[in-house]
């Protein structure tokens, strides 16, 4: 008998949590509803998970919260771990994402957020690679989880 496929994992970044906390309460409710649907099935079409033109990072996607609000999601090159990194008005969310690149550090395996040097259009790596805990990730299993999982410790 074959093993069932592992459920996708949806992680949220510290930046997302800060942006979320600044939203009006009615929009926060919509964002929570989006996260529940996204955790249940990141592949469902009603989320409108779409690539964005002009991004320096091809993994960046926009997901519709409503007609005016968007979540920015980093879609994995491989595997089923999605990172929700920002939420804002449509244009502001896209502009925020355009200034960043998300990479996996080749030696540590930690996620790095690299600011883009807009004067030359390249990502600037940090001097020290963050550990997974310092990357500010909060993860929860995709299916059946309604609370945010505890932040991992090094």
């Amino acid at each position: 008998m074959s093993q069932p496929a592992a459920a996708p994992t949806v992680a949220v970044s510290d930046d997302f949590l800060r942006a979320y906390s600044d939203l009006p309460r009615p929009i926060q409710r919509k964002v929570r509803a989006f996260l529940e649907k996204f955790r249940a099935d990141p592949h469902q079409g009603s989320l409108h998970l779409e690539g964005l033109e002009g991004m320096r990072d091809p993994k960046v996607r926009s997901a519709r919260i409503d007609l005016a609000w968007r979540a920015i999601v980093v879609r994995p090159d491989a595997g089923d771990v999605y990172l929700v990194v920002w939420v804002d008005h449509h244009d502001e969310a896209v502009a925020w994402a355009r200034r960043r690149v998300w990479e996996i550090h080749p030696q540590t395996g930690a996620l790095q957020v690299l600011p883009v040097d807009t004067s030359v259009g390249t990502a600037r790596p940090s001097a020290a690679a963050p550990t997974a805990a310092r990357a500010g990730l909060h993860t929860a299993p995709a299916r059946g989880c309604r609370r945010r999982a505890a932040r991992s410790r090094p």
Side-chain angles (χ1 to χ4, degrees):
M1 206 180 262
S2 65
Q3 295 277 344
T9 298
V10 176
V12 296
S13 71
D14 285 346
D15 286 337
F16 171 83
L17 294 173
R18 280 189 289 276
Y20 172 84
S21 69
D22 290 339
L23 296 175
R25 289 225 186 262
I27 302 304
Q28 286 181 349
R29 282 191 290 276
K30 290 181 179 184
V31 171
R32 283 193 308 271
F34 157 77
L35 285 173
E36 286 184 23
K37 283 175 43 177
F38 192 62
R39 283 180 174 145
D41 182 6
H43 307 288
Q44 64 180 291
S46 67
L47 296 171
H48 300 276
L49 191 62
E50 302 166 348
L52 297 167
E53 289 189 33
M55 289 290 134
R56 290 189 173 60
D57 190 335
K59 298 180 296 293
V60 173
R61 301 288 187 267
S62 169
R64 182 183 294 171
I65 304 297
D66 68 11
L67 291 176
W69 295 87
R70 297 292 184 272
I72 300 298
V73 176
V74 177
R75 181 177 169 204
D77 288 330
D80 255 348
V81 178
Y82 293 81
L83 178 60
V84 184
V85 294
W86 193 250
V87 62
D88 209 332
H89 280 279
H90 182 281
D91 292 344
E92 288 84 354
V94 171
W96 182 90
R98 194 167 274 131
R99 296 186 304 267
R100 289 160 178 81
V101 174
W102 290 264
E103 294 293 337
I104 301 298
H105 190 278
Q107 294 173 333
T108 66
L111 180 71
Q112 300 181 112
V113 181
L114 305 174
V116 173
D117 184 345
T118 55
S119 63
V120 294
T122 59
R124 296 175 293 180
S126 61
T131 64
R134 287 188 207 126
L137 301 181
H138 302 272
T139 62
R143 299 182 200 280
C145 181
R146 294 186 180 262
R147 69 179 201 280
R148 189 182 79 205
R151 187 175 184 169
S152 62
R153 301 282 182 218

